[in-house]
Amino acid sequence: MSDFDYVTVGHVTVDVLEPKGIRRPGGGAFYSALQAARLGLRTLIVTKGEPGGLEELLAPYRGELEVEILPAKQTTTLATAGMGKQRRQRLLAWAGAISEPLAVDTSILHLAAVARETPSSWRGATQFVGVTPQGWMRAWDEDGEISHVALDRKALPERFDALAISELERPWCEQVITGSLSAVTAGSSPTKILLRDGSQIHIPVPTAAQPREDLGAGDVFAAAFFVALYEGRSPAQAAMYGNAAAVVRIAGEGPGAIGDRAAIATAPRR
């Protein structure tokens, strides 16, 4: 893995978009990795699922990134409907926890949990660790209905450099984000940057002229935010960059709408 600049760890999901039943790749590990790749980083996804189906699902993107698939009998599958606060998801299948020993040697490691699967430790050298822990705040019943639970600090690595969550998830992880560099996104409302000293910065979110779809926008934000921090931007500058990347994403449909550096540079900043 030393050949990579950005490694994401988490389930690449099959997103079943209701009501039409369209099937697309999804999950934070996928959307974040694709954003990193389009920023010019050598990118790898470490995921778990049914290898044949995942390879087919990801085939259109294999020219942009690499994938290591830990085999499982099934791939995590989510039925998804709606946008923003109205989005509803149901877990149809789960690939299981990524319990295999993880060895990484990368500039940026991004732990991107979807459904309580990412490990909290690994072997190897990493220069920057980013976390999007939304999957550790999810629980589901036998029918796949998803609810929220408090984030267990033990699910996260002892050391991480930054964390990104949504405002909807914040009540479930308030104790964890205290004392951490955290970005809290809130749709079109300002993004809050919580600094380690307890202070906050509010970053306005640009207005998207014609938003079409926001699936994966938070993951796109996280990847751009982590990359910008790693490259030396201040937390406020990094959040502005992440917001611009998210605006590019929601202006189109599907993973193809994720922008490169040129698209993000010309996106509105206010």
Side-chain angles (χ1 to χ4, degrees):
M1 296 185 187
S2 59
D3 292 334
F4 299 97
D5 305 309
Y6 198 106
V7 174
T8 64
V9 181
H11 287 169
V12 174
T13 63
V14 179
D15 283 354
V16 182
L17 307 184
E18 298 180 332
K20 296 183 178 181
I22 298 170
R23 296 167 71 88
R24 288 202 317 228
F30 169 69
Y31 277 108
S32 296
L34 193 56
Q35 178 63 85
R38 291 182 181 172
L39 294 176
L41 280 68
R42 298 164 299 172
T43 303
L44 170 70
I45 302 172
V46 179
T47 190
K48 188 170 188 174
E50 193 281 307
L54 272 177
E55 287 284 4
E56 182 179 356
L57 192 69
L58 293 171
Y61 310 98
R62 291 304 301 274
E64 300 182 78
L65 47 76
E66 295 294 327
V67 182
E68 179 182 338
I69 300 173
L70 305 172
K73 292 182 179 180
Q74 58 188 1
T75 296
T76 296
T77 304
L78 290 166
T80 301
M83 289 178 58
K85 294 180 180 180
Q86 304 306 314
R87 180 179 297 136
R88 296 293 180 268
Q89 292 186 305
R90 189 160 52 91
L91 188 72
L92 304 181
W94 186 55
I98 299 175
S99 55
E100 294 84 348
L102 184 65
V104 296
D105 185 2
T106 181
S107 299
I108 302 172
L109 174 64
H110 178 177
L111 300 178
V114 171
R116 309 180 73 82
E117 78 274 21
T118 53
S120 60
S121 62
W122 59 89
R123 292 183 289 106
T126 57
Q127 298 178 44
F128 182 99
V129 179
V131 179
T132 46
Q134 62 175 352
W136 285 102
M137 290 176 273
R138 285 175 172 161
W140 52 91
D141 62 21
E142 61 183 11
D143 295 321
E145 296 296 331
I146 293 173
S147 58
H148 282 94
V149 296
L151 176 62
D152 183 353
R153 181 63 179 85
K154 295 179 181 179
L156 304 184
E158 291 185 9
R159 179 191 70 82
F160 59 88
D161 296 282
L163 179 147
I165 58 169
S166 76
E167 186 68 32
L168 295 175
E169 297 155 354
R170 182 173 177 175
W172 306 101
C173 60
E174 195 69 46
Q175 292 183 342
V176 173
I177 63 178
T178 300
S180 303
L181 173 57
S182 302
V184 184
T185 60
S188 59
S189 298
T191 298
K192 298 183 181 70
I193 302 300
L194 312 181
L195 302 177
R196 293 185 178 90
D197 64 5
S199 60
Q200 295 187 19
I201 306 171
H202 291 200
I203 307 298
V205 174
T207 300
Q210 293 181 322
R212 300 180 66 181
E213 182 188 274
D214 66 352
L215 194 59
D219 306 311
V220 163
F221 169 91
F225 178 62
F226 295 156
V227 170
L229 287 172
Y230 174 75
E231 292 179 345
R233 302 194 195 197
S234 70
Q237 292 169 333
M240 291 176 63
Y241 194 69
N243 283 341
V247 165
V248 172
R249 163 66 190 94
I250 67 176
E253 294 183 1
I258 296 174
D260 57 14
R261 288 187 187 264
I264 295 171
T266 57
R269 291 297 196 270
R270 63 180 63 188

